[in-house]
Amino acid sequence: MMQDVLVIGSGPAGLAIAAALCHQNLKVHGLAPTGPSIPWSTTYGIWVDELEALGLPDVLSHRWPDCVSYFSERERPLHREYGFLDQAKLQQHWLQQCDSITWHQGLADTIEHTENSSTVTTQAGEQFSAKLIIDATGHEPAFIQRPAKDNVAYQAAYGIFAQFSRPPIQPGRCVLMDYRNGHLPSEDRSKSPTFLYAMDLGNDIYFLEETSLASHPAIPFEMLKDRLYQRLMASQIEVLEIQREEHCLFPMNLTLPDFKQRVVGFGGAASMVHPATGYMVGALLRRAPILAEAVAIAMQSSTPSQLSQVAWQALWPSERLRKHYIYSFGLEALMRFNHPQLCCLFNAFFQLPRCQWSGFLADSLATPDLLAAMVNMFGKVPNSVRGGLIRTLGTDGHLLWESLRS
Ligand SMILES: Cc1cc2nc3c(=O)[nH]c(=O)nc-3n(C[C@H](O)[C@H](O)[C@H](O)COP(=O)(O)OP(=O)(O)OC[C@H]3O[C@@H](n4cnc5c(N)ncnc54)[C@H](O)[C@@H]3O)c2cc1C
């Protein structure tokens, strides 16, 4: 029987959109190399109020009301609760809504479109057809086409879940960004800024990750690992036992997909990572129901080509495009800053009213409010940073122009 939608991929994006499509009573099947309940290896962080705003059941493994950052020697409390998603709970939350889906195991290899449907063939030669194909295969998607870009910026991080000779951060706490770098040789301090992202996980286990927010080319894992150990050595903290390592590398500023293509993307495949922060899971939770509803409304009355257009439009309406270009401009500015400038910028950012900085991070501000937040921050930064922002207007002002045109 021909299905309405084939979802390819069972990462967070695949499960989020599959669940939302089922909620709309569409006939959906899924295709992924492993079963959809196989645990993910990535640790996903999110602000607790983002989940609460969605009325989700508790899908967190840890939460930290005590969350701080350091952009100088002075500690900056953020007064906002941060959490780690419990992957199994989140998977179950989505899978419970997917009870009508059949998941097939295989790797999507080729695709063919006819007037009435699209057919995906797996590497093993199996074929699956549907009126709409949603590619949720991550940052290097199976089918989604996008204009090439030669200076893609990557977020990179090297982390360990480990026991230490003594607590590497204050027990019970989450350190979102520790940009202090006095432990580095002076010649390394202003180049390739990296920060520590760290949490107390309980039972004497801490997660510590040396992170590069965005860089082109990506900062190598070896350098991040060296910096993490330099940080620990400077505080005379030894690693006693490593439970698990995490290597994190993903693109922050892929170009937007070609919105005329028949296959529709979701998640990393559709460039949904927040270009200025790297977060995406909250966006998946917020945007999957919107996309699914648009698909459900158009399913019966549209041809497959029209359906794809409706879906892309629902995923990337003008308002969202405008904000995407503004964030992308912000990312270019961030990447041009040296360590002291970056610290000044973040200091000013977290001095904004909380509704502004949290709305910026969650991409929940309307465009005029986003611009107001940026202007407000411009007023708070020192001249050295203001000059950097103005220079970015010269080099990457076209992104703001794209925003106006969207
Ligand atoms: C280490 C790391 C840490 C991150 N931390 C956070 C965080 O804390 N918070 C946050 O919001 N974001 C975070 N991100 C960013 C982003 O949320 C993740 O990259 C997220 O996993 C992307 O989800 P996705 O479902 O689009 O892709 P993926 O998670 O990559 O899932 C892709 C799926 O497609 C399947 N697949 C791939 N190719 C094929 C094929 N040809 N045929 C069939 N199936 C295929 C894969 O097996 C997988 O099931 C992190 C990213 C990384 C890499």
Side-chain angles (χ1 to χ4, degrees), residues 249-308:
L249 185 69
F250 61 89
M252 296 280 282
N253 58 351
L254 286 178
T255 49
L256 289 169
D258 170 5
F259 296 147
K260 292 201 172 71
Q261 62 196 303
R262 270 279 281 276
V263 181
V264 171
F266 194 66
S271 310
M272 284 173 64
V273 162
H274 191 307
T277 67
Y279 283 89
M280 192 177 73
V281 176
L284 298 177
L285 288 159
R286 285 185 290 271
R287 290 164 74 179
I290 300 171
L291 173 59
E293 189 186 359
V295 169
I297 292 172
M299 181 57 70
Q300 296 311 328
S301 57
S302 312
T303 63
S305 298
Q306 289 165 338
L307 186 59
S308 303

Side-chain angles (χ1 to χ4, degrees), residues 8-13 33 42 44-45 107-108 136-139 248 250 268 279-281:
I8 315 175
S10 62
T42 306
Y44 296 109
L107 271 173
T137 57
H139 306 288
C248 168
F250 61 89
Y279 283 89
M280 192 177 73
V281 176

